[in-house]
Structures are given as structure tokens and as C-alpha cells.
Amino acid sequence: MRVALLAHEKFPDRAKTAVGVLRYADHDVVAVLDRENDGTTVADHLGGVQDAPIVASMSDVDESVDALIVGIAPIGGGFDESWRPDVRNALERGCDVISGLHYFLESDSEFRNLAEENGCELWDVRKPSEDLGVADGVADQVDADVILTVGTDCSVGKMTATQEFLRAAEARGEDAAFVPTGQTGIMIEGWGNPVDRVVSDFTAGAVEDMILERGNDHDYLFVEGQASITHPAYSAVTCGILHGSMADSLVLCHEAGRETVHGYSQDISPISTYVDLYEGLTAPGAGGEVVAGCLNTSGIDADADAWDALGAYSDELGGPAVDPVRFDAHDALEVLL
Amino acid sequence: MRVALLAHEKFPDRAKTAVGVLRYADHDVVAVLDRENDGTTVADHLGGVQDAPIVASMSDVDESVDALIVGIAPIGGGFDESWRPDVRNALERGCDVISGLHYFLESDSEFRNLAEENGCELWDVRKPSEDLGVADGVADQVDADVILTVGTDCSVGKMTATQEFLRAAEARGEDAAFVPTGQTGIMIEGWGNPVDRVVSDFTAGAVEDMILERGNDHDYLFVEGQASITHPAYSAVTCGILHGSMADSLVLCHEAGRETVHGYSQDISPISTYVDLYEGLTAPGAGGEVVAGCLNTSGIDADADAWDALGAYSDELGGPAVDPVRFDAHDALEVLL
């Protein structure tokens, strides 16, 4: 699929979805829209991903495009009216528009009419499927080994770690797939349930549905986790994914140096506390254990210091710890596969 | 408020909401509609609650009625078309209709029109408020002591236990209130958030909102818990209530003799496992501990055997255990108030 990424004024540091798509999606990115960086290219800002021109608007994109992806999520999830000409231009040329905003494009009559007139689709990835229900507690019956990333907090790199594990497993010749539970994961993979937007009674069921749908087609499923089991606001999402996935193995994701829950006056607990809680919660059901850790060392400058941090994290966990973005996933895959 | 309770073919054993309203609500029940028990009275079926005639339909209710409450919840939560004449009759006489069905009466155009024409209200208690958001982690800042019922499974009697504690506290002259999280609790109290129907990201926030709304008006808040923290399908709801309420004290509710999670092939864990998990999850935040237990002994015939079960449960918990329906709440209140 040939895509353009809308990331006005936010590329790359505040455009998490756009960067995720550039890094991990199987799409050909023909342009990034960011009027503040017009005239530069992706490579001027970000290493290790496909290059693409950065332009001021959709009307500057001459090439054929299959989809425009809204690659930023402003606080509150609203639609910025300054993006309207880009979305309009995309629809007028018959290009689908994919969005993870709380504001649903489908509920915008201009966009809905344009999509209809031009035979293209609006896909609001944050809108949950209508046919979700309660979990039956049967996700452990699939053939695949299910591996779930869990965390000590939000935004420690669970989605990224899960993608890196998937790629490292595939590089070894394993048949593996990704189970997306959040908007960026869904945009990268082209399917999935936005578990944080699902009715709380159906949280586990939404994950179970995805495991059942893909679990007999692959040898390994890597499930994207969310938030943390002790998070003051989002622990419900974490707990539903934990029980819905009935994972065989858990990977505990943490950011080096993070001491406080982001945005809240609650300390991050000792690592052993998270291990005990996640394993305690799975024990009565599927019994998945924390077998490896993933440490986001992006805040540490020197590689030698990052290695030290990995060593200390591994000791706390009692298992191998990796930073698959900075180094590789090898030691973790040894115990996961 | 003068109310009629719709409970066709299900009163009393499969009419949990109707029985909850009869037992605990501050309403004057003028009739129960159950065409299978037409001609009998509530007292013929159920002890310890206000008596009322049981009639075949709303048209048999001569008295003035302020509201018709749908007091049954069929599997799937649909609307049974055989109830339509009763709802129609109620609305035509200007009587509000309150329902906890998944099927929203507000979305039924006949009912909506009748309500408008006759100046009365349709209240779908399972429809969450539109203005919910994520928790700020501040419920512990209210003046009231917050007491939350948690459980080993669904349907062990958490709502009933919470109501009994409230009444026992009030009987001692304490200023206490009930925080409703499920449809029966909401119908009894006349307010509340149906936490199982809330978007999973807002689960904790929906509870926090209620604590903040009432927490400075009373000395004690008794929060109705839901499900269990290890439940294969509903643990997300439990976890969100646990963290959203930031309770000072927890009461662990269990049914004597229950060995398996209702409807699932998962064993009920040892009681100490639930204590460890609930306390482990609250420790990094508000730190509420399990200080008492509530045992539903309704499946045990002899009072002496029920006392033995309470003694054993108390030993497992390491705290006082009560059955406030069969006996009283005294020993638990001693440690809660």
C-alpha cells in the first residue's frame, strides 16, 4: 500500500503513530505532510527507516496514493480544522483516509459524502467492532505460543518491543504474527481491536477474539500490551489483556530511569513487585510467567552505561533483559521461542 | 417514589433486580408484574421485604405510580416484545420507565414518542454518562473513609453485602452512603455509573468521579465491587474499580462452597491468593487492605454449619468474617468503622 502520513508541526518527536508506521508497517510511504518541515526529507530527522519527502500539504503529493494516514494524536484526540484541506484532497482523488482520532471521520458529513462520491473508505481505527462480547476463557486453546508484553507504566515501549520481537523471530525463520491492541499497532498491521476504547466488560473478549482469529495460523503470536497493572487510570485495560490473551509467556517492559508513573504522583514499584503481580494474576488461569525483560535505554547516552542498566534489570527480573532497538532481541528470544 | 416492578415469569428467583429493589430501595412498591404469579403477593414468595400484590399487567395497577422498573435481565439483555403493552401503558399514564437492559428504551421510537407526549422520562441505567474521562488518581483526597467490596467471583453477593453494611452503619448512627457500580445498585440508589458498560480507559475514572461527587458529604462510602480480579472475562472491571476507588479498606466477599468460577473451567483459588492480589495491587497507590470478609452462606441449611463456615473463612482471611443477610454485620463493622 502506498501511503501519505499527516504529521503537521509534530514530525518526528510528537508523531508517534507516523514514526511507528515508517518504522514497522509494510507500506510504501510516498510523503509525510508537515508544513513546518516542508522541503526536508524523513532522513533529515530520523535514522533507520525508509526515506520520503516532507511536504506542506496533500496537494503537493503528485504520486498516486492509496491511503492518507493521520499520524498524530493531539491531546484530547480532536480533529484540527487546519487538516481539512488535506483530508478533502485525499478523498477527492479517491484515496482512503485512516485515522486514530477520538473524533470519528465517519461522523463528519463532508468527509462521509466525499468518500461515498469518490468510492473510497474512511477507517476510524479507534472505533471498536460492533460484535464484541465477553471472553470465554479459551484463548489458550490455539496452537500458537502466545507472548504478551506487559509494563511498569504507559509509554515505556511495549508496542515497539513487540514489533522488534516479531521481526527478530521472523529473521530466524519463525512463523509469527502481531496482535494489535492500540491505534499505532492497528495502523501498522491493518487490523486489530482498540482495546482501550472497548466496553470494560468486553476488554478480555476483544483480545481473545483476535487470538482465536490468528492463533492457529502461526507458531507464535506477539500480543501488544498496554499500560501497567498498577496504573491509577488504565490498569483495567492491562488486566483485561492479561486475562483475555491467556499468554504462555510475559515480557516485562520498563524504561531505564523512570521513577514515577507518567503524569501521576505514584512511584514506580520495585521490578519484583510487577513480576509477582503479573504472575499472581495469571496463575489461577493460563499461568504465564515473566520470562524476559525489555528495557528502553533511549535516555542513556553511552552504550556501556546502557549495558550496565540491562545487567541490573536482568538481575532484578531473574531473567534475560534486552533493548531490541538499541542492541538486539537475541537473549530474550532464546527463552521465548 | 411509588413504583411497579416488571418481573414476568421470573419472580423472585430469577428477578435479581426486582428483589434488590424490594429489599433495599427507598421506594414504595405498589405492584409486581408477573403473569405467572398473578393473584399472589410478594410475601407468598419472599420474606423480610415489603409486601405488594402481584398482577398480570400494568393495566391491572389502579394506583398512581411514579415509575415502572424493568426488574429482570434476560440473557443477552434484549427487550421482550411481550412487555411492550406494560411499558406503553406506563408511559401513557405519565409514569417514568427505568430499565437496565442492554437494549436502550430511548432508542425505541414508540417509547421515545410516548415519553415525550406524556411528559415522562425513559432512564436506561446501563447507558454510561457522556462526560466520563480518565482517572486522575485523586479519590483518596475525599474526607470519607472508602470501603470497597471485592470478590472471589461474580454473583457471590457483593451488592447485597455492600447494602447490608450501609444499613448496619446507618443503624449505628453513622453518616454513610452507597456508591453504585452496577444496574441493580443504580436502580436502588437512583444514581451511579454502570462501570461494566464504560469504555475500558474510563473504568477507574467512572468510579473516581462518583467518589469525588459524594466523598465530602459523608463519613463513610461503601463502594459496590464487581466480579473478581482473576475472572477470565470481567477482571478489567474489578481492577478499574479497585484503582479508581483508592479504597481505605477492602471486604472480601465469597460464597460458601463455591469451588469453580461460575460458567468457566477455572478453580476458585485459596482465599489467601485473593487477599495477596488485591493488597498487592493497591499497595503502590492507596494501599487499602482486606480487613474483613463476607461469606454468603445461603447454600448451607443449618445455622450451626453456617457458623462453622464463617469461622473457617475468618481463619483463612486472618480477619473477622460475617454473613450480614443470615446473621449480622457486627464483627466486620467493628474493624471497618
Side-chain angles (χ1 to χ4, degrees):
Chain A
M1 190 159 81
R2 295 165 60 81
V3 304
L5 298 173
L6 187 153
H8 284 308
E9 294 138 21
K10 299 212 164 127
F11 189 80
D13 291 343
R14 288 172 300 145
K16 182 171 148 181
T17 300
V19 171
V21 169
L22 276 163
R23 201 182 292 281
Y24 298 115
D26 214 13
H27 304 325
D28 186 7
V29 177
V30 302
V32 171
L33 317 188
D34 181 351
R35 50 196 161 227
E36 275 192 358
N37 288 304
D38 181 20
T40 64
T41 80
V42 167
D44 295 329
H45 304 274
L46 198 65
V49 303
Q50 58 182 307
D51 199 12
I54 301 184
V55 299
S57 76
M58 195 65 193
S59 55
D60 300 318
V61 181
D62 295 330
E63 299 182 72
S64 76
V65 181
D66 301 312
L68 171 65
I69 295 178
V70 178
I72 46 184
I75 292 167
F79 182 82
D80 188 315
E81 281 301 321
S82 76
W83 309 339
R84 187 169 289 273
D86 293 317
V87 173
R88 194 186 283 140
N89 179 300
L91 295 170
E92 282 168 353
R93 60 210 270 183
C95 165
D96 298 340
V97 180
I98 304 173
S99 160
L101 300 173
H102 282 287
Y103 177 85
F104 294 145
L105 302 185
E106 264 184 18
S107 67
D108 185 297
S109 58
E110 181 186 14
F111 296 154
R112 208 173 47 241
N113 292 339
L114 278 172
E116 201 164 315
E117 281 164 26
N118 295 284
C120 45
E121 305 265 331
L122 297 171
W123 184 29
D124 291 299
V125 305
R126 225 164 184 152
K127 194 167 190 176
S129 158
E130 300 276 330
D131 58 356
L132 295 173
V134 300
D136 291 323
V138 297
D140 60 343
Q141 293 175 9
V142 300
D143 294 338
D145 264 23
V146 176
I147 297 155
L148 170 67
T149 46
V150 293
T152 58
D153 197 2
C154 295
S155 303
V156 295
K158 284 179 288 289
M159 199 285 291
T160 299
T162 315
Q163 281 288 345
E164 293 288 343
F165 282 130
L166 170 72
R167 291 168 165 247
E170 287 175 340
R172 291 188 177 203
E174 300 292 354
D175 179 3
F178 184 96
V179 176
T181 61
Q183 60 161 325
T184 304
I186 295 170
M187 285 190 184
I188 292 168
E189 298 293 325
W191 72 294
N193 284 324
V195 177
D196 58 353
R197 307 298 304 166
V198 159
V199 162
S200 64
D201 247 6
F202 301 163
T203 314
V207 178
E208 182 183 82
D209 270 6
M210 294 192 284
I211 306 268
L212 296 179
E213 189 178 329
R214 301 289 167 109
N216 293 322
D217 300 337
H218 302 280
D219 295 327
Y220 297 97
L221 291 185
F222 289 94
V223 182
E224 177 195 6
Q226 298 288 343
S228 144
I229 197 63
T230 57
H231 195 281
Y234 304 125
S235 65
V237 185
T238 311
C239 198
I241 296 175
L242 187 69
H243 286 135
S245 70
M246 301 186 83
D248 297 288
S249 308
L250 309 177
V251 177
L252 182 63
C253 299
H254 178 54
E255 184 180 44
R258 173 113 36 134
E259 290 179 355
T260 310
V261 176
H262 180 72
Y264 292 83
S265 60
Q266 181 176 307
D267 291 341
I268 299 286
S269 300
I271 296 303
S272 61
T273 300
Y274 296 97
V275 174
D276 290 347
L277 287 174
Y278 284 116
E279 293 186 350
L281 287 166
T282 61
E289 295 188 356
V290 176
V291 299
C294 207
L295 188 69
N296 176 348
T297 65
S298 62
I300 299 177
D301 286 337
D303 280 0
D305 294 339
W307 277 118
D308 286 348
L310 278 172
Y313 188 53
S314 169
D315 289 345
E316 286 180 286
L317 269 175
V322 298
D323 181 341
V325 174
R326 182 173 205 146
F327 303 119
D328 63 67
H330 180 269
D331 290 356
L333 286 190
E334 287 294 302
V335 297
L336 287 170
L337 305 185
Chain B
M1 191 161 77
R2 295 165 61 80
V3 304
L5 298 172
L6 186 153
H8 284 307
E9 293 137 22
K10 299 214 162 119
F11 190 81
D13 291 342
R14 289 171 299 143
K16 184 171 143 178
T17 299
V19 171
V21 169
L22 276 163
R23 200 182 293 280
Y24 299 115
D26 214 13
H27 304 325
D28 185 7
V29 177
V30 301
V32 170
L33 317 189
D34 180 352
R35 49 195 161 229
E36 275 192 358
N37 287 304
D38 180 22
T40 65
T41 81
V42 167
D44 295 330
H45 305 274
L46 198 66
V49 302
Q50 59 182 305
D51 199 12
I54 301 183
V55 298
S57 75
M58 195 64 192
S59 56
D60 299 319
V61 181
D62 295 329
E63 297 182 72
S64 75
V65 180
D66 301 309
L68 171 65
I69 295 178
V70 178
I72 46 184
I75 292 168
F79 182 82
D80 190 314
E81 282 302 320
S82 75
W83 308 339
R84 187 169 289 273
D86 293 317
V87 174
R88 194 185 284 141
N89 179 298
L91 294 170
E92 283 169 352
R93 59 208 271 185
C95 164
D96 298 340
V97 181
I98 303 172
S99 160
L101 299 173
H102 283 288
Y103 176 86
F104 293 146
L105 301 185
E106 262 184 19
S107 66
D108 185 296
S109 57
E110 182 187 12
F111 296 154
R112 208 173 46 241
N113 292 340
L114 278 172
E116 201 164 313
E117 283 165 27
N118 295 285
C120 44
E121 305 265 331
L122 296 171
W123 185 28
D124 290 298
V125 303
R126 226 163 182 151
K127 194 168 192 176
S129 158
E130 301 276 330
D131 58 358
L132 295 174
V134 301
D136 291 321
V138 297
D140 59 344
Q141 293 174 9
V142 299
D143 294 336
D145 264 23
V146 176
I147 297 155
L148 169 68
T149 45
V150 293
T152 59
D153 196 1
C154 296
S155 303
V156 295
K158 285 180 285 293
M159 198 285 291
T160 299
T162 314
Q163 282 288 347
E164 293 287 344
F165 282 130
L166 170 71
R167 290 166 167 247
E170 287 175 340
R172 289 186 180 206
E174 301 291 352
D175 179 3
F178 184 96
V179 176
T181 61
Q183 60 160 325
T184 304
I186 295 171
M187 285 189 184
I188 292 169
E189 297 294 325
W191 72 294
N193 284 323
V195 177
D196 58 352
R197 306 301 301 168
V198 159
V199 162
S200 64
D201 247 5
F202 302 162
T203 313
V207 178
E208 183 183 79
D209 271 4
M210 293 191 286
I211 306 269
L212 295 180
E213 190 178 329
R214 302 287 168 109
N216 292 324
D217 301 336
H218 302 279
D219 294 326
Y220 296 97
L221 291 184
F222 288 94
V223 182
E224 177 195 5
Q226 297 287 342
S228 143
I229 198 62
T230 57
H231 194 280
Y234 304 125
S235 64
V237 184
T238 311
C239 198
I241 296 174
L242 188 67
H243 287 135
S245 70
M246 302 186 80
D248 298 286
S249 309
L250 309 176
V251 177
L252 182 62
C253 301
H254 177 54
E255 183 181 46
R258 174 106 44 129
E259 290 179 355
T260 311
V261 176
H262 180 72
Y264 293 83
S265 60
Q266 180 177 307
D267 290 343
I268 298 287
S269 299
I271 294 305
S272 61
T273 300
Y274 296 97
V275 174
D276 291 347
L277 287 173
Y278 284 116
E279 293 186 350
L281 287 166
T282 60
E289 296 188 355
V290 176
V291 298
C294 205
L295 188 69
N296 175 348
T297 66
S298 61
I300 298 176
D301 285 338
D303 281 359
D305 294 339
W307 277 117
D308 287 348
L310 278 172
Y313 188 54
S314 170
D315 289 345
E316 287 181 285
L317 270 177
V322 298
D323 181 340
V325 174
R326 184 172 203 149
F327 303 119
D328 63 68
H330 179 269
D331 290 355
L333 287 190
E334 288 294 302
V335 296
L336 287 169
L337 304 186

